[in-house]
Coordinates of all heavy atoms in Angstrom, one line a residue:
Chain A
A10 N 5.1 10.2 -6.5 CA 6.3 10.5 -7.4 C 5.8 11.0 -8.7 O 6.3 11.9 -9.3 CB 7.2 9.3 -7.5
T14 N 6.3 14.6 -10.5 CA 6.9 14.7 -11.9 C 5.9 15.5 -12.7 O 6.4 16.4 -13.5 CB 7.1 13.3 -12.5 OG1 8.0 12.6 -11.6 CG2 7.7 13.4 -13.9
T22 N 7.2 23.9 -17.9 CA 6.6 24.2 -19.2 C 6.0 25.6 -19.2 O 6.2 26.3 -20.1 CB 5.5 23.1 -19.5 OG1 6.1 21.8 -19.6 CG2 4.9 23.4 -20.9
L25 N 8.8 28.0 -19.4 CA 9.4 28.1 -20.7 C 8.5 28.8 -21.6 O 9.0 29.7 -22.4 CB 9.6 26.6 -21.2 CG 10.2 26.5 -22.6 CD1 11.6 27.1 -22.6 CD2 10.3 25.0 -23.0
N28 N 8.6 32.6 -20.9 CA 9.9 33.1 -21.3 C 9.9 33.3 -22.9 O 10.4 34.3 -23.4 CB 11.1 32.3 -20.9 CG 12.4 33.0 -21.2 OD1 12.8 33.9 -20.6 ND2 13.0 32.5 -22.3
Q35 N 10.0 40.9 -27.3 CA 11.2 41.7 -27.3 C 11.9 41.7 -28.7 O 12.3 42.7 -29.2 CB 12.2 41.3 -26.2 CG 11.7 41.6 -24.8 CD 11.3 43.0 -24.5 OE1 11.9 44.0 -25.1 NE2 10.4 43.3 -23.7
L39 N 12.4 44.9 -31.2 CA 13.8 45.4 -31.6 C 13.8 46.0 -33.0 O 14.3 47.1 -33.2 CB 14.8 44.2 -31.5 CG 16.2 44.6 -31.8 CD1 16.7 45.7 -31.0 CD2 17.1 43.3 -31.7
S42 N 12.0 49.3 -33.0 CA 12.8 50.4 -32.4 C 13.9 50.9 -33.3 O 14.3 52.0 -33.3 CB 13.3 50.0 -31.0 OG 14.3 49.0 -31.1
V49 N 13.8 58.8 -37.2 CA 14.1 60.0 -36.5 C 15.3 60.7 -37.0 O 15.4 61.9 -37.3 CB 14.2 59.8 -35.0 CG1 14.7 61.0 -34.3 CG2 12.8 59.4 -34.4
G53 N 15.7 64.2 -39.1 CA 16.6 65.3 -38.7 C 17.5 65.7 -39.9 O 17.8 66.9 -40.1
V57 N 18.5 69.3 -42.0 CA 19.8 69.9 -42.0 C 20.4 70.1 -43.4 O 21.0 71.1 -43.7 CB 20.7 69.1 -41.0 CG1 22.2 69.5 -41.3 CG2 20.4 69.3 -39.6
Y64 N 23.4 77.3 -47.0 CA 24.6 77.9 -46.4 C 25.7 77.9 -47.5 O 26.3 78.9 -47.7 CB 25.0 77.1 -45.2 CG 26.3 77.6 -44.5 CD1 26.1 78.4 -43.4 CD2 27.5 77.3 -45.0 CE1 27.2 78.9 -42.7 CE2 28.7 77.9 -44.4 CZ 28.5 78.6 -43.2 OH 29.6 79.1 -42.6
Q102 N 26.0 58.9 -42.5 CA 25.9 59.6 -41.3 C 25.3 58.7 -40.3 O 24.1 58.5 -40.2 CB 25.0 60.9 -41.4 CG 24.8 61.7 -40.2 CD 26.0 62.3 -39.6 OE1 26.9 62.8 -40.3 NE2 26.2 62.2 -38.3
Q103 N 26.1 58.0 -39.5 CA 25.7 57.1 -38.5 C 24.7 56.1 -39.0 O 23.6 56.0 -38.4 CB 25.2 57.8 -37.2 CG 26.3 58.4 -36.5 CD 26.0 58.5 -34.9 OE1 26.5 59.3 -34.3 NE2 25.1 57.6 -34.4
A128 N 13.7 74.1 -42.1 CA 13.7 73.4 -40.8 C 14.8 73.7 -39.9 O 14.7 73.8 -38.7 CB 13.6 71.9 -41.1
P130 N 17.3 76.7 -39.6 CA 17.6 78.0 -40.1 C 19.0 78.3 -40.1 O 19.8 77.8 -39.4 CB 16.8 78.9 -39.2 CG 16.7 78.2 -37.9 CD 16.6 76.7 -38.3
L131 N 19.4 79.3 -41.0 CA 20.8 79.8 -41.0 C 20.9 80.8 -39.9 O 22.0 80.9 -39.3 CB 21.1 80.4 -42.4 CG 21.0 79.4 -43.6 CD1 21.4 80.2 -44.9 CD2 22.0 78.3 -43.4
A265 N 29.8 83.6 -43.9 CA 31.2 83.4 -43.5 C 31.9 84.6 -43.1 O 32.9 85.0 -43.6 CB 31.9 82.7 -44.7
Chain B
D5 N 11.7 7.8 -13.3 CA 10.9 9.0 -13.1 C 11.7 10.2 -12.8 O 11.5 11.3 -13.3 CB 9.9 8.7 -12.0 CG 8.9 9.8 -11.8 OD1 8.5 10.4 -12.7 OD2 8.5 10.1 -10.6
Y12 N 14.0 16.8 -18.2 CA 13.1 17.8 -18.8 C 13.4 19.2 -18.1 O 13.3 20.2 -18.8 CB 11.6 17.4 -18.5 CG 10.6 18.4 -19.1 CD1 10.4 18.4 -20.5 CD2 9.9 19.2 -18.3 CE1 9.5 19.3 -21.0 CE2 9.0 20.1 -18.9 CZ 8.8 20.1 -20.2 OH 7.9 21.0 -20.8
M23 N 17.0 31.7 -24.7 CA 16.0 32.7 -25.2 C 15.9 33.8 -24.2 O 14.9 34.1 -23.6 CB 14.6 32.0 -25.4 CG 14.6 31.0 -26.5 SD 12.9 30.5 -26.9 CE 12.4 29.8 -25.4
A29 N 15.7 43.6 -25.3 CA 15.1 44.7 -24.6 C 16.1 45.9 -24.4 O 15.8 47.0 -24.6 CB 14.6 44.3 -23.2
Q31 N 18.7 46.5 -26.3 CA 19.1 47.1 -27.6 C 17.9 48.0 -28.0 O 18.2 49.1 -28.6 CB 19.3 46.0 -28.6 CG 19.7 46.5 -30.0 CD 21.0 47.3 -29.9 OE1 22.0 46.9 -29.2 NE2 21.1 48.4 -30.6
A32 N 16.7 47.6 -27.7 CA 15.5 48.4 -28.1 C 15.6 49.7 -27.3 O 15.3 50.8 -27.8 CB 14.2 47.7 -27.8
N35 N 18.2 51.9 -28.8 CA 17.8 52.5 -30.1 C 16.9 53.7 -29.8 O 17.0 54.8 -30.4 CB 17.0 51.5 -30.9 CG 17.9 50.4 -31.5 OD1 19.1 50.6 -31.6 ND2 17.3 49.3 -31.9
S42 N 19.7 61.9 -31.3 CA 19.7 62.5 -32.7 C 18.7 63.7 -32.7 O 19.0 64.8 -33.3 CB 19.3 61.5 -33.7 OG 18.0 61.1 -33.7
F46 N 19.8 67.6 -33.8 CA 19.1 68.3 -34.8 C 18.4 69.5 -34.2 O 18.3 70.6 -34.8 CB 18.2 67.4 -35.6 CG 19.0 66.4 -36.5 CD1 18.8 65.1 -36.3 CD2 19.9 66.9 -37.4 CE1 19.5 64.2 -37.0 CE2 20.7 65.9 -38.1 CZ 20.5 64.6 -38.0
S50 N 19.0 73.4 -35.2 CA 17.9 74.2 -35.6 C 17.7 75.4 -34.7 O 17.3 76.5 -35.1 CB 16.6 73.4 -35.5 OG 15.4 74.2 -35.8
G53 N 21.3 77.7 -35.4 CA 21.5 78.1 -36.7 C 22.9 77.7 -37.2 O 23.9 77.7 -36.4
L54 N 23.0 77.4 -38.5 CA 24.3 77.0 -39.0 C 25.3 78.1 -39.0 O 26.5 77.9 -38.9 CB 24.1 76.5 -40.4 CG 23.4 75.2 -40.6 CD1 23.1 74.8 -42.0 CD2 24.1 74.0 -39.9
V55 N 24.9 79.4 -39.2 CA 25.8 80.5 -39.3 C 26.5 80.7 -37.9 O 27.7 80.9 -37.9 CB 25.1 81.8 -39.7 CG1 26.0 83.0 -39.6 CG2 24.5 81.7 -41.1
Y99 N 24.6 60.2 -30.5 CA 24.5 60.6 -31.9 C 25.4 61.7 -32.1 O 25.7 62.5 -31.3 CB 23.1 61.0 -32.2 CG 22.8 61.2 -33.7 CD1 22.5 60.1 -34.5 CD2 23.0 62.4 -34.3 CE1 22.4 60.3 -35.9 CE2 22.8 62.6 -35.7 CZ 22.5 61.5 -36.5 OH 22.3 61.6 -37.8
S100 N 26.1 61.7 -33.3 CA 27.0 62.7 -33.7 C 26.7 63.2 -35.1 O 26.3 62.3 -35.9 CB 28.4 62.3 -33.5 OG 28.7 61.3 -34.4
L101 N 26.9 64.4 -35.4 CA 26.6 65.0 -36.7 C 27.9 65.8 -37.1 O 28.3 66.7 -36.4 CB 25.4 66.0 -36.7 CG 25.1 66.7 -37.9 CD1 24.7 65.8 -39.0 CD2 24.0 67.8 -37.7
S106 N 32.2 76.6 -44.2 CA 33.2 77.6 -44.5 C 34.6 77.2 -44.0 O 35.4 78.0 -43.5 CB 32.9 79.0 -43.9 OG 31.7 79.4 -44.4

Side-chain angles (χ1 to χ4, degrees):
Chain A
T14 303
T22 302
L25 182 62
N28 187 77
Q35 293 300 330
L39 181 57
S42 70
V49 169
V57 166
Y64 183 98
Q102 176 66 40
Q103 287 212 204
L131 298 178
Chain B
D5 183 36
Y12 184 73
M23 294 192 298
Q31 185 60 42
N35 291 339
S42 70
F46 293 119
S50 175
L54 291 175
V55 174
Y99 189 83
S100 65
L101 175 67
S106 297

